[in-house]
Amino acid sequence: MRPQPAARAMRSVQRCLRQTHQIQPPILSQTPRVSSTAPTPTRAFTTTLRRSHNPSASTVDPTEVSHFNALASSWWDPHGSSRLLHLMNPLRHDFISSCRFNDPITAGQKLRYLDIGCGGGIFAESAARLPDTHSVTAIDPTPGVLKIAEAHKRRDPALMQPGKLTYLNTSIEDLALPATPSDGYDIVTLFEVLEHVNAPGPFISKLLPHVKPGGWLVMSTIARTWTSWLVTNVMAEDVLGIVPKGTHEWAKYVNEDELRGYFAKEPGWDGASARSLGVMYVPGFGWKEVRGGEDWGNYFFAVKRLG
């Protein structure tokens, strides 16, 4: 007999309570801090994660690659496993536009995008069609979804223009660095990716050189709170089934204040420019902006590289 949603949710709660005392969230700082006390459920949400890592190793999680390869065939089904990404896409563009509003550096010019972890190309395609877009380079380490992205791209002749939209099956570690800072990208996007990598600090450090001076790094991810765990892991995956089981690992979530702290100390980045926007999926209504939502659930985050 198939377990009932309530029973599955209860087992998830019990499992999380056991693991909370064992799992520490991913580290943003390159230098781990030493704690004199063991982590508790409360401290786990308010302290920097200290998962050890090898900075020279790839930040790609093979388990995540396997998971998203299995979902590749349904990527462009607006009612399939990627439905929430399709519904979120308009908000992604709105947030980027808000960052660029009255920005003298990027206003009025053709923009070059780098979309990291592009998946099947939902954002990459839409960005390539914008009138102020020069080109989009989209990378992903998952070969299955990139095959879907390439096939879908061929359905639009405008996207087949040389250099308009380029997909690369690679990780950020293996992507060639710009020859000079000014050869970087105007907009580097990282949508729903940070919570799927092994070590977010080293991962972010690898992508920073790809943003040109005056350009923006724009991302979306999930805060590491009890609320986000209940919404994304229990309700979305276990109870409602609107997200494929195993998509999210709560210990990998990154809080907004951790990102702000990271960029406040990162040379060459305008920490004061950092902005965020909380969002929430409301069944039947789609994604909605939620004031203060960045402190407890899904959120957008953007920061500008000093010109």
Side-chain angles (χ1 to χ4, degrees):
M1 180 180 296
R2 184 178 180 181
Q4 295 301 308
R8 295 200 305 270
M10 180 57 67
R11 284 200 294 273
S12 295
V13 172
Q14 294 169 342
R15 183 171 62 252
C16 184
L17 290 176
R18 290 195 302 269
Q19 292 177 343
T20 301
H21 294 275
Q22 302 169 2
I23 298 177
Q24 302 242 4
I27 189 167
L28 280 174
S29 171
Q30 295 274 359
T31 306
R33 296 186 305 172
V34 177
S35 173
S36 60
T37 60
T40 65
T42 300
R43 287 175 57 81
F45 299 123
T46 57
T47 60
T48 302
L49 298 180
R50 305 173 182 82
R51 175 179 296 174
S52 61
H53 62 274
N54 179 357
S56 65
S58 173
T59 56
V60 175
D61 188 335
T63 302
E64 300 281 1
V65 172
S66 177
H67 175 78
F68 287 105
N69 255 332
L71 302 175
S73 62
S74 63
W75 202 274
W76 279 98
D77 180 358
H79 304 290
S81 60
S82 299
R83 178 171 178 265
L84 295 189
L85 300 183
H86 286 272
L87 293 174
M88 180 184 279
N89 208 44
L91 274 182
R92 294 169 170 175
H93 287 289
D94 289 345
F95 185 67
I96 292 174
S97 296
S98 72
C99 295
R100 296 181 54 220
F101 184 70
N102 289 334
D103 184 344
I105 296 181
T106 59
Q109 64 173 294
K110 293 283 188 177
L111 302 177
R112 297 176 64 242
Y113 285 80
L114 172 62
D115 186 25
I116 301 172
C118 64
I122 294 172
F123 174 77
E125 277 201 11
S126 60
R129 294 189 181 96
L130 295 176
D132 62 351
T133 294
H134 175 272
S135 63
V136 176
T137 300
I139 70 170
D140 200 288
T142 312
V145 295
L146 279 187
K147 290 181 180 179
I148 298 297
E150 283 284 4
H152 199 269
K153 165 187 168 181
R154 296 189 189 101
R155 298 169 60 177
D156 186 347
L159 299 179
M160 295 301 293
Q161 298 177 22
K164 190 65 173 180
L165 174 57
T166 304
Y167 287 114
L168 299 175
N169 182 201
T170 187
S171 65
I172 189 63
E173 289 89 351
D174 295 327
L175 184 65
L177 291 172
T180 67
S182 60
D183 291 324
Y185 295 87
D186 300 289
I187 308 288
V188 174
T189 56
L190 190 70
F191 292 128
E192 309 304 309
V193 173
L194 195 60
E195 66 271 24
H196 297 290
V197 301
N198 276 327
F203 176 75
I204 291 176
S205 71
K206 293 292 185 180
L207 62 86
L208 296 185
H210 293 278
V211 185
K212 69 184 297 184
W216 287 86
L217 170 61
V218 184
M219 66 182 83
S220 59
T221 189
I222 310 173
R224 193 178 61 261
T225 66
W226 282 114
T227 303
S228 67
W229 172 75
L230 286 170
V231 171
T232 62
N233 295 81
V234 177
M235 294 301 298
E237 294 188 17
D238 290 342
V239 178
L240 299 178
I242 58 177
V243 175
K245 183 70 174 174
T247 296
H248 297 110
E249 183 179 338
W250 173 81
K252 290 183 175 181
Y253 294 177
V254 178
N255 291 338
E256 191 260 7
D257 62 339
E258 292 169 340
L259 286 173
R260 284 187 179 272
Y262 180 96
F263 283 100
K265 299 176 181 178
E266 187 68 22
W269 288 81
D270 183 10
S273 73
R275 59 184 65 192
S276 59
L277 173 68
V279 296
M280 181 179 181
Y281 176 70
V282 182
F285 295 92
W287 289 93
K288 301 296 180 182
E289 299 180 12
V290 178
R291 186 179 298 274
E294 62 270 22
D295 293 330
W296 52 266
N298 290 75
Y299 65 95
F300 290 98
F301 182 89
V303 63
K304 185 178 181 180
R305 184 173 180 180
L306 291 172

